[in-house]
Tab-separated table of all heavy atoms in Angstrom:
chain	number	residue	atom	x	y	z
A	1	GLY	N	-6.949	-1.914	-5.263
A	1	GLY	CA	-8.097	-1.262	-4.667
A	1	GLY	C	-8.372	0.085	-5.321
A	1	GLY	O	-7.528	0.645	-6.009
A	2	LYS	N	-9.573	0.581	-5.095
A	2	LYS	CA	-10.038	1.783	-5.791
A	2	LYS	C	-9.167	3.014	-5.534
A	2	LYS	O	-8.851	3.779	-6.450
A	2	LYS	CB	-11.478	2.091	-5.401
A	2	LYS	CG	-12.503	1.138	-5.985
A	2	LYS	CD	-13.914	1.601	-5.644
A	2	LYS	CE	-14.960	0.722	-6.330
A	2	LYS	NZ	-16.336	1.184	-6.040
A	3	LYS	N	-8.782	3.217	-4.267
A	3	LYS	CA	-8.053	4.438	-3.917
A	3	LYS	C	-6.709	4.504	-4.618
A	3	LYS	O	-6.361	5.518	-5.240
A	3	LYS	CB	-7.863	4.528	-2.403
A	3	LYS	CG	-7.196	5.818	-1.955
A	3	LYS	CD	-7.094	5.882	-0.438
A	3	LYS	CE	-6.404	7.176	-0.001
A	3	LYS	NZ	-6.273	7.259	1.477
A	4	ILE	N	-5.925	3.437	-4.534
A	4	ILE	CA	-4.602	3.438	-5.171
A	4	ILE	C	-4.745	3.441	-6.686
A	4	ILE	O	-3.988	4.120	-7.392
A	4	ILE	CB	-3.775	2.223	-4.701
A	4	ILE	CG1	-3.531	2.293	-3.199
A	4	ILE	CG2	-2.449	2.151	-5.456
A	4	ILE	CD1	-2.819	1.083	-2.632
A	5	ALA	N	-5.719	2.702	-7.218
A	5	ALA	CA	-5.911	2.627	-8.670
A	5	ALA	C	-6.249	3.987	-9.264
A	5	ALA	O	-5.972	4.253	-10.436
A	5	ALA	CB	-7.007	1.622	-9.009
A	6	ALA	N	-6.848	4.874	-8.471
A	6	ALA	CA	-7.252	6.180	-8.980
A	6	ALA	C	-6.074	7.138	-9.140
A	6	ALA	O	-6.186	8.146	-9.842
A	6	ALA	CB	-8.298	6.803	-8.059
A	7	ALA	N	-4.944	6.838	-8.525
A	7	ALA	CA	-3.795	7.758	-8.542
A	7	ALA	C	-3.284	7.970	-9.961
A	7	ALA	O	-3.058	7.016	-10.708
A	7	ALA	CB	-2.683	7.211	-7.654
A	8	LYS	N	-3.077	9.239	-10.313
A	8	LYS	CA	-2.536	9.552	-11.641
A	8	LYS	C	-1.007	9.579	-11.626
A	8	LYS	O	-0.366	9.355	-12.647
A	8	LYS	CB	-3.066	10.908	-12.103
A	8	LYS	CG	-4.543	10.901	-12.464
A	8	LYS	CD	-4.969	12.235	-13.055
A	8	LYS	CE	-6.424	12.192	-13.496
A	8	LYS	NZ	-6.874	13.472	-14.091
A	9	ASP	N	-0.449	9.878	-10.446
A	9	ASP	CA	1.004	9.928	-10.298
A	9	ASP	C	1.528	8.496	-10.196
A	9	ASP	O	1.332	7.816	-9.188
A	9	ASP	CB	1.358	10.719	-9.037
A	9	ASP	CG	2.864	10.925	-8.868
A	9	ASP	OD1	3.644	10.076	-9.363
A	9	ASP	OD2	3.264	11.909	-8.239
A	10	TRP	N	2.188	8.045	-11.253
A	10	TRP	CA	2.651	6.655	-11.305
A	10	TRP	C	3.642	6.348	-10.183
A	10	TRP	O	3.580	5.286	-9.557
A	10	TRP	CB	3.297	6.378	-12.668
A	10	TRP	CG	4.012	5.064	-12.715
A	10	TRP	CD1	5.360	4.867	-12.672
A	10	TRP	CD2	3.433	3.759	-12.785
A	10	TRP	NE1	5.657	3.528	-12.719
A	10	TRP	CE2	4.487	2.825	-12.796
A	10	TRP	CE3	2.133	3.297	-12.847
A	10	TRP	CZ2	4.288	1.464	-12.867
A	10	TRP	CZ3	1.930	1.926	-12.910
A	10	TRP	CH2	2.981	1.030	-12.922
A	11	THR	N	4.527	7.282	-9.888
A	11	THR	CA	5.513	7.065	-8.819
A	11	THR	C	4.810	6.863	-7.484
A	11	THR	O	5.163	5.964	-6.712
A	11	THR	CB	6.479	8.255	-8.731
A	11	THR	OG1	7.133	8.418	-10.004
A	11	THR	CG2	7.530	8.030	-7.662
A	12	LYS	N	3.813	7.697	-7.205
A	12	LYS	CA	3.048	7.579	-5.951
A	12	LYS	C	2.277	6.257	-5.920
A	12	LYS	O	2.211	5.577	-4.882
A	12	LYS	CB	2.081	8.752	-5.830
A	12	LYS	CG	1.196	8.723	-4.582
A	12	LYS	CD	2.024	8.888	-3.311
A	12	LYS	CE	1.159	9.200	-2.100
A	12	LYS	NZ	0.166	8.173	-1.808
A	13	LYS	N	1.690	5.875	-7.041
A	13	LYS	CA	0.960	4.620	-7.111
A	13	LYS	C	1.883	3.445	-6.801
A	13	LYS	O	1.533	2.534	-6.033
A	13	LYS	CB	0.327	4.431	-8.493
A	13	LYS	CG	-0.409	3.107	-8.668
A	13	LYS	CD	-0.927	2.923	-10.078
A	13	LYS	CE	-2.109	3.804	-10.359
A	13	LYS	NZ	-2.739	3.509	-11.671
A	14	LEU	N	3.069	3.464	-7.384
A	14	LEU	CA	4.030	2.395	-7.164
A	14	LEU	C	4.453	2.341	-5.696
A	14	LEU	O	4.559	1.246	-5.111
A	14	LEU	CB	5.250	2.613	-8.065
A	14	LEU	CG	6.125	1.397	-8.385
A	14	LEU	CD1	5.298	0.273	-8.991
A	14	LEU	CD2	7.238	1.805	-9.343
A	15	GLU	N	4.664	3.495	-5.095
A	15	GLU	CA	5.029	3.546	-3.672
A	15	GLU	C	3.922	2.937	-2.803
A	15	GLU	O	4.206	2.197	-1.848
A	15	GLU	CB	5.277	4.997	-3.244
A	15	GLU	CG	6.559	5.599	-3.810
A	15	GLU	CD	6.695	7.068	-3.474
A	15	GLU	OE1	5.750	7.637	-2.875
A	15	GLU	OE2	7.738	7.650	-3.804
A	16	ASP	N	2.667	3.235	-3.141
A	16	ASP	CA	1.545	2.712	-2.358
A	16	ASP	C	1.404	1.200	-2.522
A	16	ASP	O	1.067	0.485	-1.571
A	16	ASP	CB	0.245	3.408	-2.778
A	16	ASP	CG	0.183	4.856	-2.319
A	16	ASP	OD1	0.951	5.214	-1.409
A	16	ASP	OD2	-0.629	5.635	-2.876
A	17	VAL	N	1.642	0.705	-3.742
A	17	VAL	CA	1.597	-0.740	-3.969
A	17	VAL	C	2.681	-1.433	-3.149
A	17	VAL	O	2.425	-2.447	-2.491
A	17	VAL	CB	1.760	-1.063	-5.477
A	17	VAL	CG1	1.973	-2.565	-5.688
A	17	VAL	CG2	0.549	-0.601	-6.273
A	18	VAL	N	3.887	-0.891	-3.179
A	18	VAL	CA	4.993	-1.468	-2.425
A	18	VAL	C	4.685	-1.444	-0.924
A	18	VAL	O	4.926	-2.427	-0.205
A	18	VAL	CB	6.312	-0.707	-2.713
A	18	VAL	CG1	7.433	-1.196	-1.801
A	18	VAL	CG2	6.716	-0.893	-4.182
A	19	ALA	N	4.134	-0.337	-0.445
A	19	ALA	CA	3.817	-0.219	0.982
A	19	ALA	C	2.771	-1.236	1.438
A	19	ALA	O	2.812	-1.731	2.573
A	19	ALA	CB	3.332	1.197	1.284
A	20	ASN	N	1.828	-1.570	0.551
A	20	ASN	CA	0.753	-2.490	0.896
A	20	ASN	C	1.049	-3.943	0.572
A	20	ASN	O	0.266	-4.832	0.920
A	20	ASN	CB	-0.540	-2.071	0.182
A	20	ASN	CG	-1.208	-0.884	0.836
A	20	ASN	OD1	-1.969	-1.028	1.784
A	20	ASN	ND2	-0.907	0.309	0.338
A	21	ALA	N	2.151	-4.199	-0.095
A	21	ALA	CA	2.480	-5.552	-0.554
A	21	ALA	C	2.383	-6.620	0.536
A	21	ALA	O	1.859	-7.711	0.295
A	21	ALA	CB	3.864	-5.571	-1.212
A	22	PRO	N	2.855	-6.362	1.767
A	22	PRO	CA	2.773	-7.413	2.793
A	22	PRO	C	1.345	-7.740	3.221
A	22	PRO	O	1.105	-8.808	3.812
A	22	PRO	CB	3.562	-6.805	3.974
A	22	PRO	CG	4.410	-5.737	3.380
A	22	PRO	CD	3.609	-5.191	2.236
A	23	ASN	N	0.407	-6.849	2.943
A	23	ASN	CA	-0.982	-7.059	3.362
A	23	ASN	C	-1.785	-7.889	2.370
A	23	ASN	O	-2.937	-8.223	2.651
A	23	ASN	CB	-1.678	-5.707	3.559
A	23	ASN	CG	-0.934	-4.801	4.523
A	23	ASN	OD1	-0.386	-5.276	5.513
A	23	ASN	ND2	-0.897	-3.508	4.225
A	24	TRP	N	-1.205	-8.169	1.212
A	24	TRP	CA	-1.947	-8.843	0.147
A	24	TRP	C	-1.419	-10.261	-0.072
A	24	TRP	O	-0.226	-10.528	0.079
A	24	TRP	CB	-1.821	-8.073	-1.167
A	24	TRP	CG	-2.345	-6.663	-1.125
A	24	TRP	CD1	-3.311	-6.176	-0.298
A	24	TRP	CD2	-1.911	-5.574	-1.942
A	24	TRP	NE1	-3.526	-4.842	-0.547
A	24	TRP	CE2	-2.677	-4.442	-1.557
A	24	TRP	CE3	-0.979	-5.433	-2.962
A	24	TRP	CZ2	-2.532	-3.197	-2.169
A	24	TRP	CZ3	-0.830	-4.196	-3.569
A	24	TRP	CH2	-1.595	-3.094	-3.167
A	25	ASP	N	-2.332	-11.135	-0.457
A	25	ASP	CA	-1.975	-12.497	-0.856
A	25	ASP	C	-2.266	-12.599	-2.350
A	25	ASP	O	-3.387	-12.888	-2.766
A	25	ASP	CB	-2.794	-13.509	-0.060
A	25	ASP	CG	-2.375	-14.946	-0.354
A	25	ASP	OD1	-1.409	-15.140	-1.125
A	25	ASP	OD2	-3.016	-15.873	0.182
C-alpha cells in the first residue's frame, strides 16, 4: 500500500509489512 511503500526507513518498512502480514492474502 501507498503509506508503507513511501517509508524511507527500511527497518520501519519491514516492521510494518510484518505487522500487516495477517491482514493480507
Side-chain angles (χ1 to χ4, degrees):
K2 288 185 175 182
K3 184 177 180 181
I4 297 175
K8 289 186 176 181
D9 185 332
W10 170 256
T11 302
K12 178 66 166 60
K13 178 184 287 188
L14 202 55
E15 289 174 355
D16 289 342
V17 170
V18 173
N20 283 275
N23 305 322
W24 300 333
D25 185 4

